Amino acid sequence: MPEQHATDLLIVGAGPAGIAAAVAAHDGKQRITILDDNPQPGGQIWRGEAQTPSDTAAAEWLKRVRATNAQFIHGARIFAQTDDGALLAEMTNGETLSLRYQKLILATGARERFLPFPGWTLPNVFGAGGLQALVKGGLSIAGKRVVVAGTGPLLLAVAAYLKKRGAAVLLLAEQAPFTKLIGFGLQVARSVSKFKQALELKGQLRGVPQRFDCWPLAAHGEGKLARVTLRQGARTFDLACDYLACGFHLVPNVELAALLGCAVRDGCVAVDEFQQSAVAGVYCAGESTGIGGVEVALIEGQIAGLAASDRHHDARPLFAARAKAQRFAGALNRAVALRDELKQLPQADTLVCRCEDVSFERLQTQPEWRAAKLHTRCGMGPCQGRVCGPAVEYLFGWQSASVRPPAFPASIGSLAQVAASSSSNSGD
Amino acid sequence: MPNAVTLSINGQPWRVPAESTVAAAVLLSGVTTFRRSVTGEARAPLCGMGICYECRVTVNGQAHARSCQIVCAEGMEVRTDA
């Protein structure tokens, strides 16, 4: 028998949205559980803040959530639904956890978008946030030569963080043109708090060369990365480096929501004004409803937490702040939209699917995603298309197919629990 | 090293700060190849957050463990698959 856990409000994701939801929902009466697959709370953006706080907002929200009765379960990942209000999670130690809830808030966040280019599978080529996560996880970066490339505000934060930890950041390459970012910059200047943040970041990035209209063409090395070829305008140049931190903005994690039957539109979980999904009693907050950053996540989390606790009138006053933060996020997302030239990055033999080693060439003959999966096994490996899915969507315009359980690769023991739990529920 | 733990990486003892992830510990030990792809390519962590499955290693006999989401513990035995 798997371990059982029953709660009134289950929150999946211990990042800003999940934490804010728990704080808002706390009334001392209902049982609140926050489940996360990471070993610590904070999500990707506040990773490590629980141990050594450096971010005042993170410290404040973590303090607030600790003052609630919310129970944290770490190292658990949901892979199947067995019934309405019943989910199964697999723990890091391989054991299965059976969860029952009345209301559910999904705060599953986002992942980086990766684009394939020659050499991107070489060891020491990381996602931008990926390298930051590894450094936060104990990897020493002091004295290492790092190239940070791709697109989006995460690159700035990562470059500043790595520099602070002693890395030699050789270059920050942003694919978006400077002119596009100027328009966004003007919007930043209108918001005092954002402007202050931007100036702080600029100060932290002093000494880091930045180029716009610039992106990686290839990574080279024998068995591991040795140098990167980049392009700016008509010019190409090489940089010898130890690490390449490369990401192309973010993609919402909608797989669990889709598995539970929530509607997904344009790659984001569709929600109403109270953050409720198409499934009654299932709410969604933060990046999985659209890439909006920490501010949107905190507001949406609070609205979801209040609405899930039937305190809708308390949620309404937050609507204006949410709309403002979402407008800002929308402008940012447009400013860092991917340019078409990046579709030329993969060569015939460049692997697009890293799990099944499927080359770009083999995908070019496929008519759509489902056929590609069936004929090449692209997206059929352990990551279940989480890495190659957004890439093929950008490269070929293929929309990802439906999600099936298990939502993550699970052990035979865990899968056996799905059958056992489902049959006991149906009375067989 | 205060608050350090000792684990074994491919049979070699390694002392790392407590709270380090196994992925960070493997990289610190100088190992850059965590696994071999289906066609034999060297692979290592990409996402650092448990979605890419490129950081898989064997931890205490448990194969396919995602090293970026596991915190090092005293006496842990880690084997890379390459």
Side-chain angles (χ1 to χ4, degrees), chain A residues 37-39 44 47 51 77 92 110-111 121 123 126-127 130 133-134 137-140 351 354 356-357 382-383 408-409, chain B residues 19-21 23-24 28 32 35 37-39 41-51 53-54 56 66 69-71:
Chain A
D37 57 343
N38 291 292
Q44 298 310 316
R47 182 188 277 266
Q51 294 129 266
R77 171 174 288 201
T92 310
R111 57 182 181 267
T121 52
F126 299 100
L134 286 160
L139 174 65
S140 168
L351 297 184
R354 300 169 66 114
E356 297 288 340
D357 286 2
C383 96
F408 277 98
Chain B
E19 310 290 342
S20 295
T21 61
L28 282 173
T32 51
R35 70 176 198 100
S37 78
V38 293
T39 59
E41 280 192 4
R43 294 287 172 79
L46 174 71
C47 78
M49 56 182 276
I51 63 126
Y53 284 74
E54 291 282 45
R56 280 174 285 162
R66 286 186 309 270
Q69 286 197 309
I70 299 174
V71 176

Side-chain angles (χ1 to χ4, degrees), chain A residues 25 39 42 44 64 78 87 106 133 145-146 148-149 165 194 253 276 286 293 341 345 350 353 392 406 410-411 422:
Chain A
Q44 298 310 316
R64 288 178 73 181
I78 292 165
L87 297 168
L106 299 175
R145 299 163 303 166
V146 187
V148 179
R165 301 295 293 261
K194 294 273 178 201
N253 288 327
Q276 186 169 228
E341 290 102 314
L345 286 180
T350 303
C353 173
V392 300
S411 70
S422 301

Side-chain angles (χ1 to χ4, degrees), chain A residues 92-391:
Chain A
T92 310
N93 64 10
E95 281 171 21
T96 316
L97 177 65
S98 167
L99 297 144
R100 295 205 74 89
Y101 62 86
Q102 301 299 318
K103 297 273 180 71
L104 177 66
I105 297 176
L106 299 175
T108 49
R111 57 182 181 267
E112 289 185 87
R113 184 196 283 115
F114 301 110
L115 296 183
F117 52 86
W120 78 299
T121 52
L122 276 174
N124 290 352
V125 176
F126 299 100
L131 181 55
Q132 186 181 29
L134 286 160
V135 174
K136 285 187 174 182
L139 174 65
S140 168
I141 198 79
K144 298 287 185 191
R145 299 163 303 166
V146 187
V147 172
V148 179
T151 203
L154 183 60
L155 299 186
L156 300 169
V158 168
Y161 178 82
L162 297 178
K163 181 176 171 251
K164 198 165 117 192
R165 301 295 293 261
V169 182
L170 304 183
L171 179 68
L172 196 167
E174 163 62 59
Q175 59 92 39
F178 188 61
T179 46
K180 258 188 131 173
L181 290 161
I182 288 263
F184 175 69
L186 291 173
Q187 200 160 0
V188 169
R190 279 200 288 272
S191 155
V192 176
S193 67
K194 294 273 178 201
F195 189 62
K196 227 176 116 205
Q197 280 173 22
L199 281 184
E200 270 171 26
L201 205 51
K202 197 167 157 40
Q204 289 167 22
L205 286 168
R206 194 166 293 139
V208 174
Q210 286 184 60
R211 292 188 193 205
F212 298 90
D213 273 316
C214 183
W215 60 89
L217 286 181
H220 315 272
E222 291 297 321
K224 68 172 181 176
L225 177 75
R227 69 189 165 88
V228 183
T229 304
L230 296 112
R231 173 186 185 132
Q232 188 184 32
R235 178 173 164 251
T236 64
F237 59 99
D238 277 26
L239 286 174
C241 58
D242 302 300
Y243 297 134
L244 169 62
C246 187
F248 293 86
H249 206 32
L250 304 171
V251 190
N253 288 327
V254 301
E255 288 77 9
L256 181 57
L259 184 76
L260 301 183
C262 304
V264 176
R265 265 198 297 276
D266 299 327
C268 308
V269 182
V271 289
D272 68 11
E273 59 180 351
F274 290 105
Q275 301 294 138
Q276 186 169 228
S277 75
V279 178
V282 177
Y283 299 77
C284 192
E287 302 290 64
S288 45
T289 68
I291 302 306
V294 66
E295 214 172 306
V296 175
L298 286 169
I299 302 167
E300 289 190 356
Q302 291 174 79
I303 293 171
L306 291 166
S309 316
D310 297 319
R311 281 152 58 201
H312 295 80
H313 59 283
D314 292 332
R316 281 198 180 277
L318 292 163
F319 286 5
R322 178 180 56 189
K324 190 178 166 207
Q326 283 174 339
R327 272 198 303 278
F328 180 85
L332 171 62
N333 291 337
R334 282 189 295 280
V336 299
L338 297 182
R339 60 199 304 144
D340 278 344
E341 290 102 314
L342 298 175
K343 289 183 181 164
Q344 313 303 320
L345 286 180
Q347 303 301 303
D349 61 350
T350 303
L351 297 184
V352 175
C353 173
R354 300 169 66 114
C355 295
E356 297 288 340
D357 286 2
V358 182
S359 67
F360 181 63
E361 188 176 42
R362 287 181 64 206
L363 292 172
Q364 280 176 303
T365 56
Q366 298 299 324
E368 43 90 40
W369 193 205
R370 191 175 161 75
K373 281 187 160 188
L374 291 172
H375 296 293
T376 71
R377 287 198 54 80
C378 185
M380 300 289 277
C383 96
Q384 300 186 340
R386 282 173 175 83
V387 173
C388 64

Side-chain angles (χ1 to χ4, degrees), chain A residues 19-48:
Chain A
I19 286 171
V23 168
H26 172 69
D27 57 9
K29 294 194 288 280
Q30 65 176 338
R31 294 168 299 171
I32 303 172
T33 303
I34 308 178
L35 182 117
D36 197 287
D37 57 343
N38 291 292
Q40 294 283 339
Q44 298 310 316
I45 188 155
W46 287 344
R47 182 188 277 266

